[in-house]
């Protein structure tokens, strides 16, 4: 009797250890860092390859773990019940239930899973080999269980597919990028660049191009000397050439080719045929996404393209630098013309010109202004206000305050954006409220602009 009791207790202990192995393995495999496992596999780690293989067939993995875990838990409970019934009669069922619940909960669930959470990668590598053997052994039973489950769900009209697998992976990657945070400016810049890389496929060249209003182009019908002077005064090395009409682009003049031609004919510059030394024009539709255009620039070994709409009308130009700036931010050199686009004010607000892009504002201040309906901040105000605002009007949407400061005809040229105020204590809040009340009173007394202030609140 004593020997059978000892064997039963040893068996129960062994089964609890196996249960802990299954519980900890499940947690470690699912919590392990997939990027790190992928890196280790690329470096030749066979254990990491096993972890990745198990994860790729996660339905079979989870099924095998659950099957093994339930088998050992039920068998351990049955043995414990049998032993306690032999000593305490029918009351042994209650004792076995209480004892096994505590043992399984503490030593087979909480303890191994807690360790697995804090050492997920190392534990996953350690258990991958034995777990693969167990999953393969239980594979026939697991497959039968999976078919039964799928058939049951199908009866109720539930279907399973991986239609959104790619979107889920991208969202997972975006979530990992958002978790990459820290106090340093370098971390902030890294996070912004990683976000921008993922956004390239969602942006069109029309959102980053230089509008035709701001394009420096040269009329090819002008005398050669004037063309050379214009090219020298321009801050760019590639300049579009047009024939009489700016919409009739006939080529792109590269400053290096022009200077080579001038050097070859120093005494007969009028004989230089400017259109002949210009490179062929590359037209692209304005709906081309930035990722495709970046790849096209690389394949064609070109840095410059003319953007046209569906009717063939020239909208502007896009360069390789424009796309790179979407990733790394503004790139300025000694020849760039500095455009004053925004200025931070002492009170924390930002004075911006209407042509500043929404993406630049989001990148600089980590705001969340939508850029689906408009590219520039002026376009966003027009879209949200549903009208052409007057100077002095104020609008409130997306948790930001937009005050119109200047307008040229129907175009908003300047505004002030005020972000939400930080949480303050009671005393500072009262002082700030008093200051704002005083400012409003002064504004009413001045009466220099319209008293009506329109505010649009996003629903």
């Amino acid at each position: 009797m004593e020997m059978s009791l000892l064997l039963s207790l040893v068996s129960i202990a062994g089964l609890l250890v196996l249960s802990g192995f299954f519980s900890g393995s499940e947690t470690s495999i699912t919590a392990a860092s997939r990027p790190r496992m992928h890196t280790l596999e690329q470096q030749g780690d066979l254990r990491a390859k096993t972890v990745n293989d198990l994860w790729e067939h996660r339905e079979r993995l989870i099924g095998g773990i659950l099957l093994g875990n339930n088998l050992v838990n039920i068998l351990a409970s049955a043995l414990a019940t049998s032993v306690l019934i032999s000593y305490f009669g029918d009351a042994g069922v209650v004792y076995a239930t209480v004892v096994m619940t505590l043992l399984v909960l503490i030593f087979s669930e909480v303890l191994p899973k807690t360790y697995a959470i804090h050492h997920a990668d190392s534990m996953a590598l350690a258990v991958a080999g034995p777990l693969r053997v167990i999953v393969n052994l239980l594979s026939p039973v697991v497959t039968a269980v999976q078919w039964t489950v799928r058939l049951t769900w199908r009866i109720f009209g539930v279907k399973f597919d991986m239609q959104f697998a790619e979107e889920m992976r991208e969202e997972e990657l975006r979530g990992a990028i958002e978790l990459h945070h820290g106090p340093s400016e370098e971390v902030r810049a890294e996070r912004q660049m990683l976000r921008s890389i993922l956004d390239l496929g969602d942006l069109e060249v029309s959102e980053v191009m230089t509008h035709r209003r701001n394009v420096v182009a040269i009329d090819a019908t002008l005398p050669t000397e004037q063309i050379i002077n214009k090219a020298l005064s321009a801050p760019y090395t590639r300049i579009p050439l047009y024939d009489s009409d700016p919409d009739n682009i006939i080529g792109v003049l590269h400053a290096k080719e022009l200077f080579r031609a001038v050097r070859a004919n120093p005494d007969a510059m009028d004989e230089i045929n400017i259109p002949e030394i210009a490179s062929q024009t590359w037209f692209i539709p304005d709906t081309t996404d930035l990722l495709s255009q970046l790849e096209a620039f690389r394949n064609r070994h070109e840095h410059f393209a003319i953007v046209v709409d569906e009717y063939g009308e020239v909208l502007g130009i896009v360069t390789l630098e424009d796309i790179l700036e979407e990733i790394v931010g503004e790139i300025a050199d000694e020849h760039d013309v500095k455009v004053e686009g925004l200025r931070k004010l002492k009170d924390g607000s930002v004075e911006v010109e209407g042509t500043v892009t929404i993406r630049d504002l989001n990148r600089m201040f980590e705001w969340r202004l939508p850029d689906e309906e408009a590219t520039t901040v002026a376009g966003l105000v027009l879209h949200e206000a549903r009208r052409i605002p007057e100077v002095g009007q104020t609008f409130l949407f997306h948790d930001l305050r937009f005050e119109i400061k200047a307008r040229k005809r129907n175009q908003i040229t300047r505004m002030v954006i005020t972000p939400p105020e930080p949480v303050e204590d009671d005393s500072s809040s009262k002082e700030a409220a008093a200051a704002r009340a005083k400012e409003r009173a002064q504004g009413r007394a001045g009466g220099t602009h319209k008293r009506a202030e329109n505010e649009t609140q996003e629903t």
Side-chain angles (χ1 to χ4, degrees):
M1 188 64 177
E2 293 299 329
M3 182 58 67
S4 62
L5 175 61
L6 181 61
L7 289 175
S8 298
L9 293 177
V10 171
S11 299
I12 292 173
L15 292 171
L16 289 176
V17 171
L18 284 176
S19 178
F21 168 79
F22 285 117
S23 298
S25 298
E26 178 186 5
T27 301
S28 63
I29 293 293
T30 54
S33 171
R34 295 199 67 192
R36 185 163 185 264
M37 292 298 125
H38 178 74
T39 302
L40 291 175
E41 181 182 355
Q42 296 296 315
Q43 295 174 355
D45 193 321
L46 296 180
R47 296 181 304 168
K49 183 179 185 304
T50 303
V51 173
N52 292 331
D53 290 341
L54 289 172
W55 180 252
E56 288 299 323
H57 303 87
R58 50 187 174 275
E59 284 192 17
R60 190 175 67 173
L61 169 67
I62 298 301
I65 290 175
L66 291 177
L67 177 59
N69 204 6
N70 279 283
L71 281 175
V72 296
N73 284 342
I74 293 173
L75 182 55
S77 298
L79 286 175
T81 302
S82 175
V83 171
L84 292 179
I85 284 178
S86 65
Y87 280 92
F88 302 102
D90 292 341
V93 176
V94 178
Y95 298 152
T97 301
V98 174
V99 172
M100 289 307 297
T101 298
L102 292 175
L103 291 177
V104 170
L105 178 65
I106 296 174
F107 297 104
S108 298
E109 293 292 335
V110 177
L111 190 147
K113 287 187 175 183
T114 301
Y115 180 86
I117 289 174
H118 294 282
H119 304 84
D121 291 349
S122 59
M123 186 171 179
L125 293 173
V127 304
L131 196 60
R132 181 174 62 177
V133 175
I134 295 174
V135 170
N136 290 337
L137 289 176
L138 299 177
S139 179
V141 181
V142 172
T143 302
V145 172
Q146 288 176 347
W147 276 105
T148 304
V149 170
R150 288 181 178 272
L151 182 61
T152 304
W153 281 121
R154 187 171 298 178
I155 294 174
F156 291 98
V158 179
K159 297 181 180 179
F160 298 93
D161 56 53
M162 299 301 292
Q163 180 179 358
F164 302 106
E166 293 299 326
E167 289 82 353
M168 291 172 61
R169 291 191 183 98
E170 182 173 335
E171 288 302 320
E172 182 180 357
L173 183 55
R174 289 183 183 274
I177 291 173
E178 294 303 321
L179 290 175
H180 179 61
H181 56 80
S184 68
E185 187 66 24
E186 292 181 0
V187 173
R188 179 172 174 269
E190 289 171 352
R191 186 168 64 248
Q192 291 173 346
M193 285 191 285
L194 291 172
R195 285 178 190 154
S196 300
I197 291 173
L198 292 180
D199 290 338
L200 287 182
D202 301 325
L203 294 173
E204 298 178 351
V205 293
S206 58
E207 300 180 60
V208 303
M209 70 179 184
T210 301
H211 194 273
R212 58 180 297 167
R213 281 198 314 265
N214 303 318
V215 172
V216 175
I218 299 177
D219 188 351
T221 61
L222 293 174
T224 303
E225 186 175 353
Q226 290 188 29
I227 294 177
I228 295 174
N229 291 334
K230 286 180 175 292
L232 284 173
S233 61
Y236 312 107
T237 57
R238 294 177 178 85
I239 305 172
L241 285 178
Y242 64 89
D243 188 355
S244 303
D245 184 0
D247 278 327
N248 185 21
I249 305 292
I250 60 174
V252 178
L253 179 62
H254 198 296
K256 184 180 292 186
E257 297 298 330
L258 176 62
F259 297 152
R260 284 175 180 170
V262 171
R263 184 177 180 180
N265 301 275
D267 299 325
M269 288 190 296
D270 292 338
E271 298 178 3
I272 300 175
N273 191 328
I274 298 296
E276 282 188 1
I277 64 175
S279 59
Q280 187 176 1
T281 308
W282 180 18
F283 295 98
I284 62 171
D286 61 329
T287 55
T288 306
D289 65 86
L290 296 189
L291 188 59
S292 300
Q293 188 56 39
L294 177 61
E295 193 65 24
F297 275 138
R298 294 175 59 186
N299 293 336
R300 291 175 61 108
H301 305 288
E302 295 190 31
H303 294 183
F304 191 98
I306 306 294
V307 182
V308 297
D309 62 9
E310 57 183 320
Y311 303 106
E313 182 179 356
V314 175
L315 298 180
I317 63 170
V318 66
T319 65
L320 178 61
E321 184 176 322
D322 293 328
I323 300 179
L324 294 179
E325 285 181 342
E326 281 301 304
I327 300 175
V328 302
E330 189 69 22
I331 302 174
D333 59 36
E334 65 275 14
H335 299 295
D336 281 347
V337 178
K338 186 177 181 181
V339 179
E340 293 293 339
L342 57 88
R343 181 169 62 93
K344 295 189 69 173
L345 305 180
K346 293 181 178 179
D347 61 356
S349 58
V350 183
E351 185 180 56
V352 301
E353 295 187 3
T355 55
V356 173
T357 65
I358 298 171
R359 281 184 56 79
D360 286 342
L361 286 175
N362 288 341
R363 189 201 311 273
M364 182 169 295
F365 301 107
E366 295 198 326
W367 291 342
R368 289 292 185 268
L369 294 175
D371 55 2
E372 292 84 8
E373 302 295 338
T375 302
T376 64
V377 64
L380 178 64
V381 172
L382 293 175
H383 172 72
E384 296 289 345
R386 307 294 181 182
R387 71 183 77 175
I388 299 176
E390 300 289 340
V391 175
Q393 283 187 305
T394 301
F395 300 90
L396 180 65
F397 47 82
H398 304 298
D399 295 327
L400 297 172
R401 185 171 179 266
F402 297 76
E403 182 179 358
I404 310 303
K405 288 295 186 179
R407 196 185 85 178
K408 184 178 181 181
R409 295 183 181 177
N410 295 327
Q411 180 183 6
I412 301 173
T413 57
R414 186 163 49 89
M415 69 186 72
V416 172
I417 304 177
T418 305
E421 295 183 2
V423 179
E424 302 170 335
D425 55 26
D426 293 340
S427 60
S428 58
S429 297
K430 291 178 181 179
E431 292 176 359
R436 288 194 295 270
K438 183 178 180 181
E439 180 183 352
R440 286 196 297 270
Q442 291 175 346
R444 287 194 297 268
T448 56
H449 59 272
K450 293 185 177 182
R451 297 176 60 189
E453 180 175 83
N454 297 322
E455 295 193 353
T456 303
Q457 178 69 51
E458 181 190 34
T459 58

